[in-house]
Amino acid sequence: MTRRARRNHTAAFKAKVALAALKGEKTLAELAQFFDVHPNQITDWRGRLLEGAAGVFGSEGARTAESAVDVKTLHAKIGELTLENDFLEGALSKAGLLSAKR
């Protein structure tokens, strides 16, 4: 028996299989044979779909406020690192250890 190469399924394919499993018109074995995937994989995709379904109807305002805080924090960190790099570049060039400019 030869081993099959590892396959990567698209998100659309996973959603299609998971929705077919949720409909319940066919058994897991029938779906597995039809879509050529393992029944455990279908069960996993169906569970992930059910877990993430609430996020589809969630509010966008909460995500926007949360991401705005992250962007502010990241910009502050970028500024801090830029200052450190400039300071170290100046100190190394004065000491003669930094001969070539990047």
Side-chain angles (χ1 to χ4, degrees):
M1 190 162 132
T2 61
R3 190 168 181 186
R4 179 188 300 183
R6 187 175 178 94
R7 295 180 292 171
N8 294 325
H9 299 289
T10 64
F13 177 78
K14 293 176 186 179
K16 180 176 158 182
V17 174
L19 286 173
L22 282 176
K23 286 180 184 176
E25 295 173 356
K26 294 183 179 181
T27 65
L28 278 179
E30 291 171 337
L31 289 172
Q33 186 176 15
F34 181 75
F35 289 110
D36 194 28
V37 293
H38 197 276
N40 290 345
Q41 191 67 63
I42 295 173
T43 304
D44 180 50
W45 291 342
R46 181 180 60 193
R48 288 172 49 192
L49 176 67
L50 290 173
E51 287 175 7
V56 173
F57 301 105
S59 64
E60 290 293 321
R63 285 191 203 138
T64 305
E66 188 176 304
S67 66
V69 172
D70 290 338
V71 170
K72 287 181 182 179
T73 305
L74 291 175
H75 282 163
K77 187 64 175 177
I78 289 170
E80 181 182 324
L81 292 174
T82 303
L83 284 174
E84 287 180 15
N85 284 340
D86 290 345
F87 172 78
L88 292 173
E89 183 181 359
L92 287 174
S93 62
K94 285 181 184 177
L97 299 174
L98 184 68
S99 59
K101 195 85 165 151
R102 284 186 257 167

